[in-house]
């Protein structure tokens, strides 16, 4: 595997020599990118000797091979160890003022960081916020451990041991374990027009479906996202990903059409979109006027169940995954409803999540249970929507 190891300026850099040696001995092609500052701790010669690859800190060397992005593009895994508070802040902000920064922005591979700093810096609200941003983006954080720090003080801040970092990095779900897999994901919420200015919609922000698509693409899959209405910042994240193609839709019928035509080439289909169950029988061509005290009655007709249709039409080897958002607070009743729904829709996996006024929708975190074909719980995860997405892909990988 092509692994990039970023080394930033902390005394723990000396421990990363062992990390690099261990990865090289395991047969990986390791490329070290030290920051200028880290060279005060461990020099270029050591990194070249240990990694057996040329090492530079500068974006201005080897320009002909566009080194500032080529390392990131080739990487199948990036490990930053030690990761100082400074590099975590730079990563959270997307700064790219050196070779490590450009590589981290250019890569779509899983990223693992092993923070090392004094306890005060680790606990500073700025660092806490930066680490939360990185986790939300799918970065794996290993450590820091508790113990004695360089100044003789002690507390959380010590870099984890190199073997622990190597084990955690190589076990990261998604070290391109979906390479080449053709994935189709629906995300967002449909809108059914009433007239040219009004619609029936739902509270979906698109975050969970987009996280499912991003996780798959980061793990090497070729992804098509059929995107109903989603928050702009959420939608932008899939539009920027080099391995994601986006098809924009508005209504349930448009979503059905786009999913059906893209489904023939997909190996895994995930329906994460919140689809309106009903649409108005007849959309008014002009803006409807007020009806006064008599009130207004809308004639609704049922939309097709797209998921059930895709499951019924699936070909050999194709997997279909559905979502079920339920407001049932009792876990057993929630799972019972999920089991019934999985069987009715005929899907391979059903991701059940409890939603409500303050749960599930429009938030960055989620809690789900994944039900398998016999109704058994095959995965359970509470965390960011990205963590939930990775748990879903782990379940898909396990089944395939
Ligand atoms: O029946 P329910 O709406 O709870 O099912 C949810 C699942 O079915 C989701 O995966 C959703 O994307 C999908 N769905 C669909 N077509 C509909 C309604 C829901 O594909 N008309």
């Amino acid at each position: 595997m092509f692994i990039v190891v970023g080394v930033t300026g902390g005394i723990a850099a000396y421990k990363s020599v062992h990390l690099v040696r261990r990865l090289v001995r395991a047969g990986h092609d390791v490329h070290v990118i030290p920051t200028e500052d880290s060279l005060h701790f461990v020099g270029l010669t050591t990194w070249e000797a240990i990694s057996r690859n040329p090492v530079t800190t500068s974006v201005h060397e080897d320009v002909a091979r566009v080194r500032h992005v080529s390392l990131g593009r080739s990487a199948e895994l990036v490990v930053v160890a030690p990761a100082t508070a400074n590099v975590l802040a730079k990563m959270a902000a997307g700064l790219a003022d050196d070779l490590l920064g450009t590589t981290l922005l250019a890569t779509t591979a899983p990223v693992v960081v092993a923070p090392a700093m004094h306890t005060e810096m680790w606990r500073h609200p700025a660092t806490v916020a930066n680490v939360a941003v990185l986790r939300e983006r799918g970065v794996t954080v290993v450590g820091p451990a508790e113990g004695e720090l360089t100044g003789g003080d002690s507390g959380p801040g010590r870099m984890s041991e190199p073997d622990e970092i190597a084990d955690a990095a190589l076990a990261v779900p998604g070290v391109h374990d979906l390479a080449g897999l053709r994935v189709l994901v629906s995300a967002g919420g449909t809108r059914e027009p009433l007239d040219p200015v009004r619609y029936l919609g739902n509270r979906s922000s698109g975050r969970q479906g987009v996280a499912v698509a991003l996780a798959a693409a980061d793990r090497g899959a070729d992804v098509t996202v059929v995107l109903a209405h989603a928050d702009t910042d959420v939608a932008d994240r899939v539009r920027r990903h080099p391995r994601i193609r986006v098809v924009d839709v508005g209504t349930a019928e448009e979503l059905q059409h786009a999913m059906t035509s893209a489904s023939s080439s997909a190996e895994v289909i995930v329906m994460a979109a919140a689809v309106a169950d009903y649409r108005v029988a007849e959309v008014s061509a002009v803006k409807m006027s007020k009806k006064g005290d008599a009130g207004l009655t809308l004639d609704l007709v049922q939309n097709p169940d797209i998921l059930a249709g895709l499951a019924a039409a699936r070909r050999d080897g194709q997997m279909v995954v559905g979502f079920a958002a339920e407001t049932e607070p009792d876990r057993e009743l929630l799972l019972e409803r999920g089991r019934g729904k999985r069987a009715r829709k005929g899907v391979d996996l059903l991701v059940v999540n409890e939603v409500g006024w303050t749960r599930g929708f429009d938030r960055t975190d989620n809690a789900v249970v994944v039900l398998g074909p016999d109704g058994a719980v095959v995965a359970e995860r509470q965390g960011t929507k990205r963590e939930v997405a990775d748990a879903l892909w782990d379940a898909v990988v396990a089944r395939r």
Side-chain angles (χ1 to χ4, degrees), residues 19-351:
L19 170 67
V20 172
R21 185 198 287 276
R22 153 100 197 256
L23 294 172
V24 171
R25 280 198 178 149
H28 300 294
D29 183 17
V30 182
H31 297 257
V32 180
I33 309 181
T35 59
E36 275 295 329
D37 211 40
S38 77
L39 297 178
H40 292 293
F41 300 95
V42 179
L44 279 185
T45 327
T46 304
W47 293 127
E48 291 204 338
I50 298 290
S51 71
R52 303 178 199 156
N53 272 316
V55 175
T56 171
T57 62
S58 166
V59 287
H60 305 298
E61 282 172 42
D62 206 7
V63 176
R65 278 194 283 163
V66 216
R67 196 167 172 78
H68 70 291
V69 290
S70 64
L71 283 172
R73 282 192 186 140
S74 307
E76 291 167 89
L77 171 68
V78 180
V79 185
V80 183
T84 56
N86 183 51
V87 83
L88 296 176
K90 284 170 68 172
M91 287 171 74
L95 290 183
D97 58 356
D98 59 7
L99 186 60
L100 180 57
T102 56
T103 302
L104 283 162
L105 278 192
T107 196
T108 59
V111 176
V112 176
V113 295
M117 66 198 73
H118 284 281
T119 305
E120 298 85 333
M121 296 169 86
W122 175 247
R123 288 189 175 145
H124 192 283
T127 306
V128 171
N130 291 330
V131 170
V133 165
L134 296 178
R135 279 192 210 273
E136 163 63 18
R137 275 185 212 149
V139 170
T140 301
V141 182
V142 184
E146 289 226 14
E148 200 183 320
L149 302 167
T150 343
D153 48 341
S154 73
R158 251 174 95 85
M159 188 172 87
S160 296
E161 291 309 312
D163 284 330
E164 194 188 323
I165 299 169
D167 289 342
L170 295 173
V172 163
V175 178
H176 275 209
D177 57 351
L178 304 181
L181 187 75
R182 292 187 306 274
V183 165
L184 173 63
V185 180
S186 71
T190 62
R191 289 182 180 178
E192 306 300 323
L194 307 182
D195 65 21
V197 296
R198 304 186 181 93
Y199 59 84
L200 291 176
N202 57 68
R203 288 178 54 209
S204 172
S205 62
R207 277 200 185 88
Q208 186 60 76
V210 159
V212 168
L214 287 170
D218 287 349
R219 292 166 75 150
D222 292 318
V223 182
T224 299
V225 179
V226 174
L227 191 61
H229 293 275
D231 291 358
T232 316
D233 59 323
V234 176
D236 281 349
R237 296 176 60 194
V238 276
R239 294 191 202 286
R240 279 199 304 266
H241 201 293
R243 263 198 300 277
I244 300 183
R245 184 174 75 95
V246 179
V247 181
D248 290 292
V249 295
T251 64
E253 281 180 311
E254 286 167 14
L255 191 132
Q256 180 185 34
H257 184 254
M259 290 298 285
T260 310
S261 46
S263 66
S264 56
S265 58
E267 292 161 279
V268 182
I269 300 173
V270 183
M271 272 293 294
V275 183
D277 289 323
Y278 295 92
R279 64 180 184 278
V280 288
E282 215 156 310
V283 179
S284 169
V286 293
K287 187 179 166 202
M288 291 189 288
S289 49
K290 274 197 200 68
K291 301 281 187 260
D293 287 343
L296 171 69
T297 305
L298 293 173
D299 232 341
L300 301 180
V301 292
Q302 200 172 340
N303 275 327
D305 191 318
I306 304 164
L307 180 61
L310 291 166
R314 72 157 134 2
R315 44 180 177 72
D316 271 356
Q318 195 176 47
M319 245 176 104
V320 179
V321 182
F323 270 75
E326 302 286 349
T327 48
E328 173 60 63
D330 181 85
R331 182 188 156 89
E332 276 318 305
L333 291 176
L334 177 74
L335 292 186
E336 232 16 78
R337 287 181 68 93
R339 289 190 180 107
K341 190 166 284 189
R342 197 214 59 75
R344 262 196 319 281
K345 304 221 180 205
V347 294
D348 298 283
L349 298 175
L350 188 78
V351 185

